[in-house]
Amino acid sequence: MDSNIKKWTAEFLGTFWLTFGGCGSAVLAAAFPGVGIGLLGVSLAFGLTVLTGAYAFGPISGGHFNPAVSVGLAVGGRFRWAELPGYVIAQVLGAVAAAGVLYLIATGKPGFEVGGFASNGFGELSPGKYSMTAVLIAEVVLTAVFLLVILGSTAKRAQGGFAGLSIGLCLTLIHLVSIPVSNTSVNPARSTGPALFASTGAVDQLWLFWVAPIVGAVLGALIYQAVLSDD
Protein backbone atom coordinates (compact mmCIF):
# COMPACT_ATOMS: atom_id res chain seq x y z
CA MET A 1 0.00 0.00 0.00
CA ASP A 2 1.18 3.54 -0.74
CA SER A 3 2.96 5.03 2.28
CA ASN A 4 0.90 8.23 2.11
CA ILE A 5 -2.33 6.26 2.28
CA LYS A 6 -1.02 4.45 5.36
CA LYS A 7 -0.13 7.76 7.00
CA TRP A 8 -3.47 9.36 6.14
CA THR A 9 -5.32 6.29 7.41
CA ALA A 10 -3.37 6.36 10.67
CA GLU A 11 -4.15 10.05 11.12
CA PHE A 12 -7.83 9.47 10.32
CA LEU A 13 -8.07 6.64 12.85
CA GLY A 14 -6.08 8.44 15.52
CA THR A 15 -8.17 11.59 15.24
CA PHE A 16 -11.34 9.50 15.14
CA TRP A 17 -10.28 7.83 18.38
CA LEU A 18 -9.33 11.12 20.06
CA THR A 19 -12.65 12.75 19.15
CA PHE A 20 -14.82 9.74 19.83
CA GLY A 21 -13.11 8.83 23.10
CA GLY A 22 -12.71 12.32 24.47
CA CYS A 23 -15.97 13.88 23.32
CA GLY A 24 -17.79 10.61 23.89
CA SER A 25 -16.75 10.64 27.53
CA ALA A 26 -18.23 14.13 27.86
CA VAL A 27 -21.47 13.41 25.99
CA LEU A 28 -22.20 9.91 27.30
CA ALA A 29 -20.47 9.49 30.65
CA ALA A 30 -19.65 12.83 32.31
CA ALA A 31 -23.12 13.56 33.66
CA PHE A 32 -24.47 10.03 34.02
CA PRO A 33 -26.72 10.17 37.12
CA GLY A 34 -24.90 9.24 40.30
CA VAL A 35 -21.77 7.82 38.74
CA GLY A 36 -20.76 10.37 36.10
CA ILE A 37 -17.03 10.72 35.46
CA GLY A 38 -17.03 14.53 35.68
CA LEU A 39 -14.33 16.91 34.46
CA LEU A 40 -11.51 14.74 35.78
CA GLY A 41 -12.80 11.74 33.87
CA VAL A 42 -13.18 13.69 30.64
CA SER A 43 -9.67 15.08 31.01
CA LEU A 44 -8.27 11.60 31.51
CA ALA A 45 -10.24 10.32 28.53
CA PHE A 46 -8.69 12.86 26.18
CA GLY A 47 -5.22 12.11 27.51
CA LEU A 48 -5.72 8.37 27.20
CA THR A 49 -6.89 8.62 23.60
CA VAL A 50 -3.69 10.46 22.65
CA LEU A 51 -1.51 8.10 24.70
CA THR A 52 -2.99 4.95 23.18
CA GLY A 53 -3.22 6.46 19.70
CA ALA A 54 0.40 7.58 19.80
CA TYR A 55 1.64 4.05 20.46
CA ALA A 56 -0.80 2.43 18.02
CA PHE A 57 -0.56 4.84 15.08
CA GLY A 58 2.46 6.97 15.85
CA PRO A 59 4.96 4.57 14.27
CA ILE A 60 3.05 4.95 10.98
CA SER A 61 2.24 8.65 10.75
CA GLY A 62 3.96 10.30 13.68
CA GLY A 63 0.72 10.45 15.64
CA HIS A 64 -0.30 14.08 15.14
CA PHE A 65 -4.13 13.72 15.26
CA ASN A 66 -4.36 17.52 15.25
CA PRO A 67 -3.91 20.10 12.46
CA ALA A 68 -2.28 22.55 14.87
CA VAL A 69 0.29 19.93 15.87
CA SER A 70 1.04 19.20 12.22
CA VAL A 71 1.57 22.91 11.54
CA GLY A 72 3.74 23.28 14.63
CA LEU A 73 5.89 20.30 13.71
CA ALA A 74 6.35 21.72 10.21
CA VAL A 75 7.43 25.07 11.67
CA GLY A 76 9.76 23.20 14.01
CA GLY A 77 11.39 21.33 11.14
CA ARG A 78 10.06 17.93 12.19
CA PHE A 79 7.51 17.54 9.39
CA ARG A 80 7.49 18.25 5.67
CA TRP A 81 5.20 21.09 4.59
CA ALA A 82 4.29 19.15 1.47
CA GLU A 83 2.61 16.50 3.64
CA LEU A 84 0.52 18.99 5.60
CA PRO A 85 -2.64 19.14 3.40
CA GLY A 86 -3.10 15.37 3.37
CA TYR A 87 -2.70 15.16 7.13
CA VAL A 88 -5.13 18.00 7.85
CA ILE A 89 -7.80 16.55 5.56
CA ALA A 90 -7.45 13.10 7.15
CA GLN A 91 -7.61 14.57 10.65
CA VAL A 92 -10.74 16.63 9.97
CA LEU A 93 -12.49 13.71 8.29
CA GLY A 94 -11.63 11.47 11.23
CA ALA A 95 -13.05 13.96 13.71
CA VAL A 96 -16.25 14.48 11.71
CA ALA A 97 -16.74 10.72 11.34
CA ALA A 98 -16.27 10.24 15.08
CA ALA A 99 -18.77 12.97 15.90
CA GLY A 100 -21.23 11.38 13.48
CA VAL A 101 -20.93 7.96 15.11
CA LEU A 102 -21.20 9.53 18.55
CA TYR A 103 -24.35 11.38 17.44
CA LEU A 104 -25.95 8.11 16.28
CA ILE A 105 -25.20 6.50 19.64
CA ALA A 106 -26.22 9.46 21.80
CA THR A 107 -29.54 9.99 20.03
CA GLY A 108 -30.43 6.37 20.72
CA LYS A 109 -31.34 7.39 24.27
CA PRO A 110 -34.96 8.51 24.73
CA GLY A 111 -35.18 12.21 25.52
CA PHE A 112 -31.57 12.96 24.60
CA GLU A 113 -30.97 16.64 23.84
CA VAL A 114 -28.05 17.41 21.55
CA GLY A 115 -27.18 20.76 23.12
CA GLY A 116 -23.51 21.69 22.92
CA PHE A 117 -22.46 18.12 22.09
CA ALA A 118 -18.97 18.64 23.62
CA SER A 119 -18.30 21.53 21.21
CA ASN A 120 -16.04 24.46 22.06
CA GLY A 121 -17.17 28.02 22.55
CA PHE A 122 -16.77 31.42 24.15
CA GLY A 123 -19.22 33.81 25.76
CA GLU A 124 -22.57 32.08 26.16
CA LEU A 125 -21.14 28.87 24.67
CA SER A 126 -18.26 28.72 27.15
CA PRO A 127 -18.97 26.35 30.08
CA GLY A 128 -17.91 29.12 32.48
CA LYS A 129 -19.13 31.98 30.24
CA TYR A 130 -15.57 33.19 29.61
CA SER A 131 -15.07 36.00 27.11
CA MET A 132 -13.70 35.61 23.61
CA THR A 133 -10.44 37.23 24.70
CA ALA A 134 -10.03 34.89 27.65
CA VAL A 135 -10.70 31.84 25.48
CA LEU A 136 -8.32 33.09 22.79
CA ILE A 137 -5.50 33.58 25.29
CA ALA A 138 -6.09 30.21 26.93
CA GLU A 139 -6.13 28.33 23.63
CA VAL A 140 -2.98 30.06 22.33
CA VAL A 141 -0.99 29.54 25.53
CA LEU A 142 -2.05 25.95 26.11
CA THR A 143 -1.41 24.92 22.52
CA ALA A 144 2.01 26.57 22.66
CA VAL A 145 2.86 24.58 25.78
CA PHE A 146 1.51 21.42 24.13
CA LEU A 147 3.91 21.92 21.21
CA LEU A 148 6.82 22.54 23.56
CA VAL A 149 6.07 19.25 25.31
CA ILE A 150 5.69 17.39 22.01
CA LEU A 151 8.92 18.75 20.55
CA GLY A 152 10.84 18.16 23.77
CA SER A 153 9.46 14.66 24.31
CA THR A 154 10.28 13.57 20.76
CA ALA A 155 13.74 15.15 20.53
CA LYS A 156 16.70 12.83 19.92
CA ARG A 157 18.06 13.54 23.39
CA ALA A 158 14.76 12.59 25.07
CA GLN A 159 14.28 9.28 26.85
CA GLY A 160 13.14 6.83 24.19
CA GLY A 161 9.71 5.23 24.32
CA PHE A 162 8.08 7.68 26.73
CA ALA A 163 6.92 10.41 24.36
CA GLY A 164 3.36 9.07 24.13
CA LEU A 165 3.03 9.01 27.92
CA SER A 166 4.35 12.56 28.31
CA ILE A 167 2.16 13.95 25.54
CA GLY A 168 -0.96 12.15 26.76
CA LEU A 169 -0.52 13.39 30.32
CA CYS A 170 0.11 16.90 29.02
CA LEU A 171 -3.22 16.86 27.19
CA THR A 172 -4.89 15.60 30.36
CA LEU A 173 -3.47 18.54 32.30
CA ILE A 174 -4.52 20.98 29.57
CA HIS A 175 -8.10 19.74 29.90
CA LEU A 176 -8.01 19.95 33.68
CA VAL A 177 -7.13 23.63 33.32
CA SER A 178 -9.34 24.74 30.47
CA ILE A 179 -12.56 22.72 30.24
CA PRO A 180 -14.40 25.45 32.20
CA VAL A 181 -12.95 28.11 29.89
CA SER A 182 -13.54 26.78 26.37
CA ASN A 183 -14.41 23.10 26.80
CA THR A 184 -10.79 22.71 25.64
CA SER A 185 -9.86 22.57 22.00
CA VAL A 186 -6.11 22.98 21.28
CA ASN A 187 -7.13 20.95 18.21
CA PRO A 188 -9.08 22.39 15.24
CA ALA A 189 -10.19 18.96 14.01
CA ARG A 190 -11.59 17.96 17.41
CA SER A 191 -13.50 21.27 17.45
CA THR A 192 -14.88 20.87 13.94
CA GLY A 193 -16.49 17.45 14.35
CA PRO A 194 -18.77 18.16 17.33
CA ALA A 195 -19.57 21.72 16.14
CA LEU A 196 -21.25 20.30 13.04
CA PHE A 197 -23.71 18.35 15.19
CA ALA A 198 -24.25 20.78 18.08
CA SER A 199 -27.55 22.64 18.30
CA THR A 200 -26.04 25.74 19.93
CA GLY A 201 -24.54 27.57 16.96
CA ALA A 202 -21.02 26.39 17.74
CA VAL A 203 -20.13 26.51 14.03
CA ASP A 204 -20.31 30.32 14.17
CA GLN A 205 -17.47 30.34 16.72
CA LEU A 206 -15.42 27.62 15.08
CA TRP A 207 -13.03 30.13 13.50
CA LEU A 208 -11.45 30.87 16.89
CA PHE A 209 -10.70 27.19 17.47
CA TRP A 210 -8.78 27.06 14.21
CA VAL A 211 -6.97 30.37 14.60
CA ALA A 212 -5.94 30.17 18.27
CA PRO A 213 -4.52 26.61 18.29
CA ILE A 214 -2.57 27.20 15.07
CA VAL A 215 -1.15 30.49 16.37
CA GLY A 216 -0.25 28.77 19.63
CA ALA A 217 1.38 25.86 17.83
CA VAL A 218 3.49 28.18 15.68
CA LEU A 219 4.48 30.18 18.76
CA GLY A 220 5.47 27.04 20.67
CA ALA A 221 7.51 25.73 17.75
CA LEU A 222 9.32 29.06 17.31
CA ILE A 223 10.16 29.25 21.02
CA TYR A 224 11.50 25.71 20.98
CA GLN A 225 13.58 26.33 17.87
CA ALA A 226 14.97 29.62 19.15
CA VAL A 227 15.78 28.63 22.72
CA LEU A 228 15.62 24.91 23.39
CA SER A 229 16.55 23.04 20.22
CA ASP A 230 19.98 21.50 19.63
CA ASP A 231 19.57 21.94 15.87
Side-chain angles (χ1 to χ4, degrees):
M1 183 181 291
D2 181 84
S3 63
N4 282 330
I5 294 177
K6 286 184 178 180
K7 291 176 182 178
W8 297 336
T9 301
E11 285 298 304
F12 176 93
L13 293 172
T15 314
F16 179 99
W17 180 226
L18 183 153
T19 306
F20 183 81
C23 296
S25 71
V27 172
L28 303 177
F32 199 82
V35 293
I37 61 175
L39 298 185
L40 176 59
V42 174
S43 300
L44 285 170
F46 272 101
L48 289 172
T49 60
V50 168
L51 190 156
T52 52
Y55 289 117
F57 308 117
I60 301 170
S61 67
H64 301 184
F65 318 144
N66 182 337
V69 169
S70 296
V71 171
L73 291 176
V75 171
R78 302 279 188 86
F79 182 59
R80 294 174 59 245
W81 284 102
E83 294 188 75
L84 183 61
Y87 269 56
V88 171
I89 291 170
Q91 291 156 359
V92 172
L93 290 177
V96 172
V101 173
L102 179 58
Y103 180 85
L104 291 176
I105 295 171
T107 53
K109 176 184 177 181
F112 174 77
E113 296 182 3
V114 176
F117 203 63
S119 60
N120 304 113
F122 55 83
E124 288 301 311
L125 300 188
S126 158
K129 310 305 179 187
Y130 285 81
S131 69
M132 182 182 73
T133 301
V135 170
L136 180 66
I137 293 171
E139 289 290 329
V140 168
V141 170
L142 291 171
T143 312
V145 173
F146 195 35
L147 258 292
L148 288 169
V149 171
I150 291 171
L151 290 168
S153 300
T154 56
K156 292 180 180 178
R157 63 188 171 189
Q159 187 71 31
F162 291 96
L165 181 61
S166 173
I167 295 166
L169 289 175
C170 180
L171 189 62
T172 298
L173 179 55
I174 286 171
H175 279 78
L176 287 172
V177 171
S178 62
I179 287 178
V181 180
S182 64
N183 223 16
T184 311
S185 172
V186 302
N187 184 337
R190 167 264 181 270
S191 296
T192 300
L196 297 178
F197 293 87
S199 62
T200 56
V203 170
D204 294 337
Q205 298 186 359
L206 188 57
W207 64 269
L208 186 145
F209 300 100
W210 275 86
V211 172
I214 290 175
V215 170
V218 171
L219 182 62
L222 291 175
I223 292 171
Y224 189 87
Q225 283 292 89
V227 182
L228 303 174
S229 176
D230 281 339
D231 296 336

